[in-house]
Amino acid sequence: MTLAPYASDPARTRGREYPVEDGGTRGPRSAYQRDRDRIVHSIAFRRLRYKTQVFIAPDGDHYRVRLTHSLEVAQVARVIARLLRLDEDLTEALALAHDIGHPPFGHAGEEALDAALHKAGGFDHNANCLRTLMRIESPYCEHDGLNLTWETLEGLAKHNGPVSNPNWALGELDAAYNLELGSYASLEAQVAALSDDIAYDNHDIDDGLRAGFLDLDELLAHPFVTDRWREVERRFPGVARSRQLAELIRSQIGFMVNDLLAQTKANLIGIESVHDVRTAGRQLVTFSPEVEEGERAFKRFMYEKLYYHPEQLETARRARALLAELYAAYSQEPVLMEESWIDGLPRHEPERSRHIADYIAGMTDRYAIACHAQIYGSTPEGLRNV
């Protein structure tokens, strides 16, 4: 497939933070293929298997976790990239890596670490994604980090748009390797960002219904899904409700993808280069205004009924307390950490506190629970609600 003129061309990459002798072209893989492969083979990516997506450390095998969510985002993103003639490998790399910075227990864990680091600059999962890939995950002899291409790093830094006030972590990385935070990211990064929305808007329906947190009648009456649901009922009368709901989710994904493609193609009229994308002054990968408004309303519904469900809020409170206690324990007794992390513990603040937060942020849900039990002698109750 011939790339569109506004696509990121791996042959024209700006390179890597640490130059390599072969220019990053060794073997049959492109620079972006190598980025994707480095991400997939990383320990940080594998840990997503046991990190919260919607539900904390779920007992059921069918609930999504950060890993399965990331794979679903990558699948949606790659389809869109192909139809827009963008670089599929860069798009996939961004989709697979976008959640690597999440600590255990999802946003509850992020809030706990942000509070713990309130005197040390706070904690942000997006900045932590870059910190993990550029400094912490270090399997190579020649340099720290995975040494990903500039395009992958800048896409992860600003897939939601320019960053005007980066926190300490992103600020330090940008100072070391200028990611041009004030401009817009590539189309590949913008595709990955909205593919994230498409994936969790729809797949969280499945998990929410499975857990009994979403009311089926309320869901099906919501304007954002009603038309697709009526069409499913018309096409498949008498079919088991579980199969109808699976068809609804597929239909919703297709509806959102098709709308995004149509609107984005219209937005790209007059865009002739990657430079035009970065200086456009707005996101170019978008839904139509009507679908964007409907999607926002649906998000509000999902927050009210699922993400802010009373049981979810109570579980999140307990998760925050667990991480706060872990942070306190490691701050007072650093010897409780793994030996390799003890050896690298800085002597001065704020680096010392940030190092401890790095250690906790890398944990899976179940490992954080096990560490807490080892330190405090018991496993907290109520950390699972499904």
Side-chain angles (χ1 to χ4, degrees):
M1 180 185 71
T2 302
L3 292 176
Y6 41 68
S8 298
D9 185 348
R12 298 182 179 180
T13 175
R14 297 195 194 184
R16 304 177 187 276
E17 181 180 8
Y18 304 101
V20 291
E21 290 184 3
D22 62 0
T25 59
R26 180 173 59 241
R29 295 175 298 168
S30 75
Y32 301 149
Q33 286 176 311
R34 292 177 69 185
D35 280 3
R36 178 202 59 204
D37 296 348
R38 290 179 184 192
I39 290 163
V40 169
H41 289 292
S42 69
I43 294 174
F45 181 73
R46 293 199 294 273
R47 284 197 299 256
L48 295 177
R49 179 185 178 190
Y50 293 110
K51 289 201 175 189
T52 294
Q53 174 59 21
V54 176
F55 301 109
I56 291 173
D59 286 329
D61 293 334
H62 296 169
Y63 292 104
R64 287 164 176 83
V65 292
R66 288 284 168 190
L67 179 61
T68 50
H69 166 70
S70 297
L71 293 173
E72 290 170 341
V73 174
Q75 179 267 327
V76 173
R78 187 149 196 148
V79 169
I80 296 171
R82 181 172 301 175
L83 293 171
L84 292 175
R85 293 168 48 216
L86 305 177
D87 189 278
E88 295 179 38
D89 298 309
L90 175 58
T91 308
E92 185 177 23
L94 292 164
L96 291 171
H98 80 282
D99 270 354
I100 276 178
H102 275 282
F105 311 134
H107 292 288
E110 182 172 10
E111 292 167 4
L113 290 180
D114 189 45
L117 292 182
H118 72 282
K119 294 182 179 179
F123 180 91
D124 170 74
H125 78 268
N126 194 52
N128 189 56
C129 175
L130 272 292
R131 183 169 167 84
T132 299
L133 296 174
M134 293 178 71
R135 296 293 180 263
I136 299 173
E137 181 86 13
S138 298
Y140 299 104
C141 297
E142 304 97 323
H143 51 72
D144 290 338
L146 298 185
N147 201 26
L148 304 177
T149 61
W150 185 90
E151 291 79 13
T152 296
L153 297 174
E154 73 110 19
L156 291 169
K158 53 188 183 182
H159 55 274
N160 290 323
V163 181
S164 57
N165 295 300
N167 80 336
W168 66 270
L170 185 53
E172 284 185 357
L173 297 170
D174 182 58
Y177 191 44
N178 184 9
L179 298 175
E180 299 180 3
L181 297 179
S183 65
Y184 283 82
S186 65
L187 292 175
E188 287 83 358
Q190 295 181 37
V191 165
L194 281 194
S195 297
D196 183 25
D197 288 351
I198 292 171
Y200 80 72
D201 279 349
N202 293 290
H203 294 137
D204 289 357
I205 293 174
D206 184 29
D207 283 355
L209 290 171
R210 188 184 305 278
F213 283 27
L214 289 179
D215 181 88
L216 182 59
D217 291 336
E218 286 185 341
L219 171 69
L220 299 180
H222 195 281
F224 195 62
V225 303
T226 297
D227 288 346
R228 260 69 59 200
W229 176 244
R230 288 174 179 167
E231 179 63 14
V232 168
E233 286 192 311
R234 184 192 68 77
R235 292 176 58 204
F236 304 104
V239 173
R241 181 57 61 91
S242 60
R243 295 190 180 190
Q244 288 180 327
L245 289 171
E247 184 66 30
L248 170 66
I249 292 169
R250 286 192 293 272
S251 178
Q252 281 289 118
I253 292 173
F255 164 71
M256 295 178 74
V257 167
N258 288 333
D259 179 86
L260 181 149
L261 286 168
Q263 184 62 48
T264 299
K265 288 176 181 178
N267 294 344
L268 289 173
I269 294 174
I271 301 296
E272 300 293 340
S273 67
V274 175
H275 175 75
D276 289 349
V277 172
R278 291 202 168 93
T279 59
R282 62 190 178 101
Q283 296 281 87
L284 295 171
V285 178
T286 68
F287 298 115
S288 66
E290 297 78 17
V291 170
E292 183 175 343
E293 181 180 354
E295 194 263 348
R296 287 178 178 174
F298 187 68
K299 269 192 173 67
R300 291 194 293 270
F301 169 83
M302 292 291 282
Y303 270 92
E304 178 186 355
K305 303 297 182 178
L306 177 59
Y307 309 128
Y308 291 163
H309 188 283
E311 287 190 41
Q312 289 280 73
L313 294 177
E314 177 57 24
T315 304
R317 183 192 66 77
R318 291 169 176 161
R320 287 193 299 271
L322 182 147
L323 283 198
E325 291 175 356
L326 267 187
Y327 182 86
Y330 294 136
S331 296
Q332 296 166 15
E333 298 288 343
V335 294
L336 295 171
M337 294 192 295
E338 292 181 10
E339 184 175 349
S340 61
W341 284 83
I342 299 171
D343 293 341
L345 182 68
R347 300 177 64 181
H348 304 291
E349 293 291 354
E351 290 79 11
R352 184 182 179 89
S353 293
R354 293 170 178 176
H355 182 84
I356 294 170
D358 286 339
Y359 178 60
I360 296 173
M363 293 180 175
T364 62
D365 294 9
R366 64 179 190 172
Y367 187 66
I369 292 170
C371 287
H372 186 277
Q374 184 178 21
I375 294 169
Y376 290 97
S378 63
T379 301
E381 296 181 0
L383 276 176
R384 293 180 173 88
N385 54 25
V386 293

